[in-house]
Amino acid sequence: MRKSRAYLLLILVLLAAMPVVGQIRGTNINVLVTPDKQDWNYQAGQTAQFKVSVLRSSTLVDGAVVDFEAGPEMYPDVKKQGVVLKDGTMTWKGKMTKPGFYRLTVTAHVDGKEYKGSCTAAFSPERLRPTTVEPKDFDQFWQKTLEQARWTPLAAQRTLLPDRSTEEVNVYQVSFNNIRWGSRTYGILSVPAKPGKYPALLRVPGAGVRPYSGDTYTAPTQAIVLEIGIHGVDVTQPQQFYDNLMNGALNCYWEFGMDDRDKSYYKRVVVGCVRSVDYIASLPEWDGRVIGVTGASQGGFLSYATAALDGRITFVAAVHPALCDHTASFQGIACGWPHYFYGKTKSVENEGVRRAEVETSRYYDGVNFVRRIQCPTWVSFGYNDDVVPPTTAYATYNTLTCEKVLSVYQQTAHFWYQEQWDEWQAWMKKQLGIK
């Protein structure tokens, strides 16, 4: 009894000594923009009606002042400022006569702060088609590039990370040669500790420069997972190391070499993804049958590219995939991140854009990769995404000719909801053949 009391007293003392930190979740002011159709989908030629509500503590804010813009995504044709909503609400009507996405974005000014809400309606999205042109030597270019890269042996290295490993999974930092000798790809490899043969998953990264912790959550006792970085640097350094690179030598790396397909930064990146499949296939723990690839944003594009170039990939899961339909801008249509030609709506010559940049972009356009994917593919994105426009995501999805699944979470922007994440994980586990 005395020991129990002493233990309880110790706990109380420790709790009293800890700082009280409240969790901050969301804002008390919200701007809701909702359509009059539950699925946000309309046929071209129909009219969508949007309801705007500016709320404080879930009740309307009288006299709210808002700015708003409306029209095809990335190309709004209506912009208004300082509109007073007497009862905190308004309606708006939007229409498109051709397939596409129409977005209403409202910014409310309340107590000196800004609060934003959006709604993006789809008009016949199943009819969207991409604009990009496929180079005649697309297959030859990538076949030759991979053949030359594979002249260099992987020369893989694997180092156990005891602080990240558990009784169920061994976690390693690994590296192997990429496009040439000394050009390394680094990643975190998670392998079930129990001896056996396992299916595998390759996780490819979104844009940025960062460390990686590895995937020990998808199926730690039932699957191999390799999570890679793309920049040829150690992936276990402190965050400041990567911040310095992102703000220095790798700032806007996605624009490097855009005037030459052989100098594009993404040439080495795409090759590194395929060589990651080579590495997984070399592991004695791999079951020799199943390798999936998954990623979001830039990682969605890299998932497409990897599956297109390597027939060993058995499934793809891509979330809001970027780098698709770069040249849509020339037709005044929303283009994929990183929006290389945004705003250049006339001919290439008249806008002064170098022809070489346009030609190079076609070798690194997700659209031209998805035409070649033959394995089951799951795709998910949000209609409110202002980084990867749903116009490009949907047009690219429509180009897939393989077995495919589309899971739309209309309200998401360039992020995902918990339900979307759970569905993503569940679909991949099914493809991996595990529970």
Side-chain angles (χ1 to χ4, degrees):
M1 179 66 73
R2 287 181 180 178
K3 289 184 178 180
S4 297
R5 289 178 178 175
Y7 180 75
L8 178 59
L9 179 61
L10 176 61
I11 295 296
L12 292 173
V13 170
L14 290 174
L15 287 173
M18 293 174 63
V20 178
V21 180
Q23 293 183 340
I24 299 175
R25 295 185 180 182
T27 59
N28 193 38
I29 306 294
N30 290 285
V31 180
L32 298 183
V33 187
T34 56
D36 59 345
K37 294 192 68 173
Q38 288 185 341
D39 61 3
W40 300 31
N41 289 338
Y42 302 80
Q43 292 299 310
Q46 291 182 329
T47 298
Q49 181 164 293
F50 304 89
K51 181 179 180 180
V52 177
S53 303
V54 180
L55 306 171
R56 187 201 307 269
S57 300
S58 299
T59 59
L60 293 169
V61 178
D62 292 338
V65 178
V66 302
D67 305 331
F68 67 88
E69 59 182 37
E73 62 165 342
M74 294 183 72
Y75 295 94
D77 50 21
V78 175
K79 296 184 180 181
K80 294 185 179 293
Q81 294 184 323
V83 178
V84 179
L85 308 185
K86 183 179 179 180
D87 59 356
T89 186
M90 63 171 275
T91 58
W92 182 260
K93 294 182 179 180
K95 181 178 181 179
M96 294 187 74
T97 58
K98 296 180 180 180
F101 284 81
Y102 184 100
R103 177 170 293 158
L104 172 63
T105 299
V106 180
T107 302
H109 304 273
V110 181
D111 299 331
K113 295 183 179 180
E114 293 185 352
Y115 302 87
K116 183 178 292 187
S118 293
C119 182
T120 310
F123 288 85
S124 301
E126 70 283 352
R127 290 166 48 195
L128 284 167
R129 294 294 180 269
T131 67
T132 192
V133 175
E134 181 179 305
K136 292 182 179 180
D137 65 345
F138 185 89
D139 290 320
Q140 293 90 331
F141 169 74
W142 282 110
Q143 182 179 357
K144 181 179 179 181
T145 295
L146 291 172
E147 286 178 353
Q148 291 177 339
R150 284 172 171 146
W151 292 345
T152 302
L154 287 171
Q157 298 176 0
R158 183 159 105 170
T159 304
L160 182 69
L161 301 174
D163 58 325
R164 303 189 189 185
S165 301
T166 68
E167 292 183 357
E168 295 182 333
V169 60
N170 293 319
V171 180
Y172 308 86
Q173 175 166 250
V174 300
S175 70
F176 41 86
N177 282 321
N178 184 324
I179 200 165
R180 56 178 172 76
W181 192 271
S183 173
R184 310 282 288 181
T185 291
Y186 290 80
I188 303 295
L189 176 70
S190 302
V191 181
K194 183 180 179 180
K197 299 288 187 178
Y198 299 95
L201 177 66
L202 172 63
R203 285 191 176 272
V204 288
V209 189
R210 65 183 71 85
Y212 294 94
S213 58
D215 178 345
T216 58
Y217 50 84
T218 296
T221 64
Q222 302 176 76
I224 298 165
V225 185
L226 174 61
E227 181 179 40
I228 64 167
I230 61 169
H231 301 297
V233 296
D234 186 314
V235 293
T236 61
Q237 294 298 310
Q239 183 63 48
Q240 189 61 50
F241 173 82
Y242 306 98
D243 291 345
N244 291 341
L245 283 173
M246 190 63 187
N247 292 319
L250 294 179
N251 184 248
C252 294
Y253 66 83
W254 46 84
E255 296 180 355
F256 295 177
M258 271 300 295
D259 59 348
D260 188 328
R261 68 182 186 179
D262 285 308
K263 294 180 180 178
S264 168
Y265 193 83
Y266 280 112
K267 180 178 180 180
R268 179 190 175 281
V269 172
V270 171
V271 171
C273 293
V274 176
R275 300 226 72 189
S276 296
V277 180
D278 291 344
Y279 175 69
I280 290 172
S282 75
L283 297 174
E285 299 92 345
W286 180 49
D287 68 6
R289 296 183 299 104
V290 178
I291 305 178
V293 61
T294 189
S297 194
Q298 173 187 265
F301 158 72
L302 294 177
S303 297
Y304 285 159
T306 306
L309 296 176
D310 198 316
R312 291 170 295 184
I313 294 296
T314 55
F315 68 88
V316 179
V319 181
H320 42 249
L323 288 113
C324 293
D325 208 14
H326 300 303
T327 56
S329 296
F330 297 126
Q331 297 185 26
I333 299 172
C335 56
W337 181 91
H339 316 300
Y340 287 130
F341 311 117
Y342 180 53
K344 299 174 175 59
T345 58
K346 299 179 182 179
S347 71
V348 173
E349 293 78 12
N350 290 341
E351 287 291 334
V353 178
R354 295 178 61 186
R355 170 66 65 178
E357 293 179 358
V358 177
E359 294 299 327
T360 297
S361 77
R362 291 172 175 147
Y363 292 91
Y364 301 94
D365 194 311
V367 171
N368 290 329
F369 286 104
V370 301
R371 302 182 198 278
R372 291 158 171 79
I373 295 176
Q374 299 180 13
C375 59
T377 300
W378 181 90
V379 181
S380 186
F381 52 84
Y383 284 3
N384 279 340
D385 198 329
D386 56 1
V387 177
V388 172
T391 299
T392 68
Y394 220 124
T396 304
Y397 173 81
N398 290 341
T399 306
L400 284 162
T401 58
C402 58
E403 177 186 336
K404 60 184 180 180
V405 177
L406 176 61
S407 181
V408 172
Y409 284 74
Q410 289 88 341
Q411 192 163 280
T412 57
H414 205 58
F415 58 84
W416 48 78
Y417 288 132
Q418 184 64 54
E419 296 88 345
Q420 188 178 16
W421 173 278
D422 293 343
E423 183 184 344
W424 181 20
Q425 291 291 104
W427 188 86
M428 290 192 297
K429 287 181 180 180
K430 182 179 180 180
Q431 299 302 312
L432 288 166
I434 59 181
K435 296 181 180 179

